Amino acid sequence: MDSEEGTQQPQLVLAHKLFLLTHPDVNDLDKVRLREEVLEAVVSNDMAPLFETLVSKGVFSLNLEVLDPMRIKNADELKKLDEKIADAEENLGESEVREAHLAKSLFYVRIGDKGKALEQLKVTEKKTVAVGQKMDLVFYTLQMGLFDLDFDLIAKCIDKAKKLFEKGGDWERKNRLKVYEGLFCMSTRNFKKAADLFLDSISTFTTYELFPYDTFIFYTVLTSIITLDRVSLKQKVVDAPEILTVIGKIPYLSEFMNSLYECQYKSFFSAFAGLMEHIKLDRYLQPHFRYYMREVRTVVYSQFLESYKSVTIEAMAKAFGVSEDFIDLELSRFIAAGKLHCKIDKVAGVLETNRPDAKNALYQATIKQGDFLLNRIQKLSRVIDL
């Protein structure tokens, strides 16, 4: 792959800037700067197809003085690439032919022509024998899918990569695929699987083309907090040396994680409010902003109530540094949604927990499954008698 350690793919940097350019919370002055940076990136890479797409979406106005020179450069470079392919096919070996086709594929990737890039990558794949090289082509396709968050394309590529690994492949690429799949799971709200994949990749992370290591740790902590129990969180996240080395560089994240584990709820809410701005401005997490806020609050409220058979609303409000009315309204919503197992005694100002009986639930499930099995056996016996 082209990306060196610590270097994010330019197309993904551009995708993030395009996301911020349409974000309602980004101020107008920053948007002016972002628009200039996007235009500079598009022109410097001769991304004529992407420029036309952005014009159709209203990001830029049509400017032929900008577009025409890019088209001319694209046509000239494409002609040279086709000549190189023809020369390789006529005079050189299979390896050189493949390299020439790969160069054409990467040209289409660079200028943002997704359709032609996918077609050319398929042609290149037919010229490719080694599993590792085929995997590299899948990674290029995954990066294109992540550029415009084409989840269908990403899902197909991940399945394809897993099938390729059944035939072989090295551990470095397998570990990189885990991060790609983790990012896909996080972007599609499968936080549990995302956390598992990210945690598996902490000590072997090399996927710098997607994001820096700090961002990877940010995603790992956020997904782990809402999916792991306290014991697992302590072992895999709170005490993980790889996380401890960089968590201090990420604003609010250390306080967010440690205050939750140490039950410092007032500090937790303060850090949580600061982190929300980062989540809102992340293009993978932003669509799940409200969902994540609810899940985090469910975790923290459940953890607080776990220690009590009953507790006053006043005591809980004081612990979280909020008003009693706020706690009353918050808990009412979560209880109604079945997220919290407690009830509010408004007259006495008390919260009473009513945790579900795990053994009783298992007993009821067993009885239900047994009835279902008996019904199936009875139906089967009638068929046999006939």
Side-chain angles (χ1 to χ4, degrees), residues 278-311:
H278 294 278
I279 294 173
K280 265 198 236 180
L281 297 177
D282 186 285
R283 75 188 192 100
Y284 302 114
L285 288 170
Q286 189 269 341
H288 316 294
F289 174 70
R290 291 185 180 278
Y291 173 84
Y292 188 81
M293 282 186 69
R294 287 196 301 272
E295 290 301 302
V296 167
R297 279 145 56 209
T298 300
V299 168
V300 74
Y301 293 148
S302 298
Q303 179 174 292
F304 177 85
L305 293 169
E306 188 73 25
S307 306
Y308 300 95
K309 181 71 176 173
S310 65
V311 62

Side-chain angles (χ1 to χ4, degrees), residues 103-157:
K104 187 175 180 180
S105 301
L106 297 182
F107 163 74
Y108 282 130
V109 170
R110 194 197 79 213
I111 66 172
D113 194 332
K114 182 180 174 183
K116 290 184 178 178
L118 291 174
E119 288 176 13
Q120 187 58 37
L121 282 166
K122 287 178 182 176
V123 173
T124 307
E125 186 183 2
K126 291 176 182 177
K127 308 287 182 182
T128 305
V129 177
V131 172
Q133 291 179 334
K134 286 185 176 182
M135 271 306 309
D136 287 341
L137 299 179
V138 173
F139 284 131
Y140 288 127
T141 310
L142 281 167
Q143 288 164 23
M144 281 193 291
L146 289 169
F147 179 84
D148 57 2
L149 297 181
D150 184 343
F151 294 127
D152 288 338
L153 177 62
I154 295 169
K156 288 175 184 175
C157 285

Side-chain angles (χ1 to χ4, degrees), residues 357-375:
D357 185 344
K359 285 186 178 178
N360 188 49
L362 182 61
Y363 173 75
Q364 294 296 335
T366 304
I367 294 296
K368 189 175 180 180
Q369 289 170 0
D371 287 342
F372 178 73
L373 181 60
L374 285 171
N375 288 334

